[in-house]
């Protein structure tokens, strides 16, 4: 309001300057959504600020370009989000998109699959990721509203399942670029994989790593996850793209181990004394290191893991 009032008494030059300012701001906002270059021919969405269901909960993705075409890592939460991703890919390269690699089955990483399948991409994942999608995908799509997504946002979204799976390791040759797919054991899910570019020492960790964002640990194998994080660290990658959060390094893997260990210990103690998720969440928040996004997951993790399963071993 103030700006408009001020502009009305300004000279034409002043208005022009103000318009330029607005244009520059708009350009900046758009640029923040764009793909970040990690190395020649390797790009990613990293650290989407203000993670909400409307921007795929800030899920990161990857774009790997070889002489023979493109492989993408994850596809966001809906057909519309995938279309945004594809537009951004097309601003970098017009090579054919040959592969989609799903790091795991969760909706914010796989519900954009069909837009890439339409372009002829082969969808690759761990065998358990495909199994989980076949078992839960349709039900999750039907209840997208419960995750905070509107019908309009989900318009055109349908499931496309991985057609090529592996159990331990797989290698994709993309023409001058080798992509290693590695299953390090159960962690965030029982089908979570890592995508590694050995020549560039760039790792896409999927949701095995959340940096600065609260993680979803609801259906995880926590003991195995801690071992997996050691295995990820042993790769000694130079750049790690987490499933959610900013570009990361080995230090963030150690922080993730600390977070999981502390969360599990505290949540067990608190759940033994109370069954009120809000109370447990507020106590946990005091104990946990501060993380800027996805705070609602603290309560969700407590409800799904520590209260629902009360009396069971885990
Ligand atoms: Zn996930």
């Amino acid at each position: 309001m103030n700006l408009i009032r001020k502009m009305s008494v300004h000279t034409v030059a002043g208005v022009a300057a103000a318009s330029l300012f607005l244009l520059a701001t708009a350009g900046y906002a758009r640029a923040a959504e764009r793909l970040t270059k990690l190395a020649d021919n390797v790009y990613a969405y990293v650290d989407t600020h203000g993670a909400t269901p409307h921007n795929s909960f800030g899920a990161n993705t990857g774009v790997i370009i070889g002489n023979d075409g493109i492989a993408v890592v994850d596809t966001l939460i809906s057909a519309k989000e995938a279309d945004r991703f594809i537009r951004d890919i097309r601003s970098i390269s017009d090579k054919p998109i040959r592969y989609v690699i799903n790091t795991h089955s969760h909706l914010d990483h796989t519900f954009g699959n069909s837009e890439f399948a339409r372009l002829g991409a082969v969808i690759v994942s761990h065998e358990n990721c495909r199994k989980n999608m076949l078992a839960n995908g349709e039900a999750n799509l039907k209840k997208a509203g419960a995750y905070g997504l509107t019908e309009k946002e989900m318009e055109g979204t349908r499931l496309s399942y991985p057609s090529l799976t592996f159990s331990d390791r797989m290698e994709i040759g993309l023409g001058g670029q080798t992509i290693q797919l590695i299953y390090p054991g159960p962690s965030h899910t029982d089908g979570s994989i890592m995508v590694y570019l050995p020549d560039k020492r760039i790792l896409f960790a999927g949701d095995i790593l959340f940096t600065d964002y609260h993680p979803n640990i609801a259906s995880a194998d926590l003991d195995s996850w801690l071992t997996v994080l050691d295995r990820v660290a042993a790769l000694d990658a130079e750049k790690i793209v987490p499933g959610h959060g900013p570009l990361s390094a080995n230090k963030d893997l150690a922080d993730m181990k600390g977070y999981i260990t502390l969360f599990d210990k505290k949540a067990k103690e608190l759940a033994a004394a109370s069954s009120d998720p809000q109370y447990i969440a507020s106590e946990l928040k005091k104990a946990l290191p501060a993380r800027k996004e996805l705070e609602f997951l603290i309560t969700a993790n407590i409800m799904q893991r520590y209260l629902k399963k009360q009396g069971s071993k885990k």
Side-chain angles (χ1 to χ4, degrees):
M1 197 65 178
N2 270 345
L3 181 65
I4 293 169
R5 212 176 291 134
K6 267 184 204 155
M7 276 170 63
S8 66
V9 295
H10 269 48
T11 60
V12 173
V15 172
S19 308
L20 270 178
F21 167 76
L22 290 173
L23 272 176
T25 320
Y28 177 76
R30 271 202 307 276
E33 299 296 321
R34 289 283 168 93
L35 292 157
T36 300
K37 184 173 181 175
L38 305 182
D40 282 345
N41 300 316
V42 185
Y43 297 79
Y45 284 139
V46 274
D47 202 16
T48 302
H49 294 285
T52 68
H54 318 300
N55 58 18
S56 306
F57 296 106
N60 294 328
T61 62
V63 181
I64 304 157
I65 306 168
N67 297 330
D68 300 338
I70 297 173
V72 302
V73 182
D74 289 338
T75 60
L76 303 177
I77 208 164
S78 63
K80 281 186 179 159
E81 280 281 90
D83 290 344
R84 159 172 81 91
F85 184 22
I86 291 167
R87 279 197 302 276
D88 283 350
I89 294 168
R90 286 294 169 240
S91 71
I92 296 165
S93 170
D94 54 11
K95 287 192 176 170
I97 301 172
R98 295 208 185 280
Y99 300 98
V100 161
I101 302 159
N102 284 148
T103 58
H104 65 298
S105 59
H106 286 161
L107 75 169
D108 46 338
H109 300 261
T110 58
F111 276 16
N113 279 2
S114 64
E115 297 308 286
F116 291 88
R118 274 198 313 144
L119 301 175
V122 174
I123 302 169
V124 187
S125 79
H126 187 263
E127 58 192 14
N128 290 342
C129 170
R130 177 180 148 84
K131 248 185 245 170
N132 293 337
M133 281 185 75
L134 285 166
N136 308 316
E138 282 298 340
N140 276 334
L141 182 56
K142 277 202 189 95
K143 64 173 190 194
Y147 294 102
L149 293 146
T150 65
E151 260 176 49
K152 198 167 165 36
E153 281 174 317
M154 296 309 285
E155 212 179 311
T157 305
R158 56 187 180 79
L159 293 189
S160 271
Y161 301 98
S163 59
L164 191 61
T165 66
F166 67 99
S167 57
D168 185 30
R169 287 177 87 98
M170 180 186 269
E171 211 162 271
I172 296 176
L174 207 54
Q177 179 64 64
T178 297
I179 305 172
Q180 294 178 345
L181 310 186
I182 304 164
Y183 180 60
S187 58
H188 172 68
T189 68
D190 62 2
S192 293
I193 60 161
M194 316 189 277
V195 180
Y196 190 50
L197 307 180
D199 61 326
K200 299 182 170 69
R201 293 176 61 208
I202 294 174
L203 178 73
F204 296 89
D207 283 1
I208 293 172
L209 178 64
F210 287 71
T211 300
D212 289 355
Y213 288 41
H214 290 279
N216 171 353
I217 63 167
S219 55
D221 181 333
L222 295 186
D223 290 339
S224 178
W225 196 347
L226 295 175
T227 314
V228 163
L229 283 163
D230 286 336
R231 261 175 224 149
V232 181
L235 278 175
D236 201 22
E238 209 168 89
K239 292 175 182 168
I240 305 176
V241 178
H244 301 255
L247 195 59
S248 304
N250 271 9
K251 179 201 166 292
D252 301 297
L253 298 167
D255 287 351
M256 186 74 189
K257 276 183 79 174
Y259 184 106
I260 291 171
T261 307
L262 181 62
F263 193 109
D264 193 44
K265 182 173 174 286
K266 271 285 187 193
K268 276 178 184 154
E269 284 170 16
L270 290 160
S274 165
S275 57
D276 176 0
Q278 300 307 332
Y279 166 76
I280 298 174
S282 71
E283 288 300 303
L284 257 174
K285 227 173 281 174
K286 289 179 205 163
L288 288 169
R291 292 194 163 203
K292 63 179 180 174
E293 305 270 3
L294 302 181
E295 201 173 275
F296 74 91
L297 283 175
I298 297 177
T299 312
N301 288 330
I302 291 162
M303 291 177 72
Q304 288 169 40
R305 187 178 187 96
Y306 296 93
L307 295 181
K308 216 178 184 176
K309 295 186 179 176
Q310 238 172 14
S312 73
K313 268 184 282 170
K314 283 245 161 184

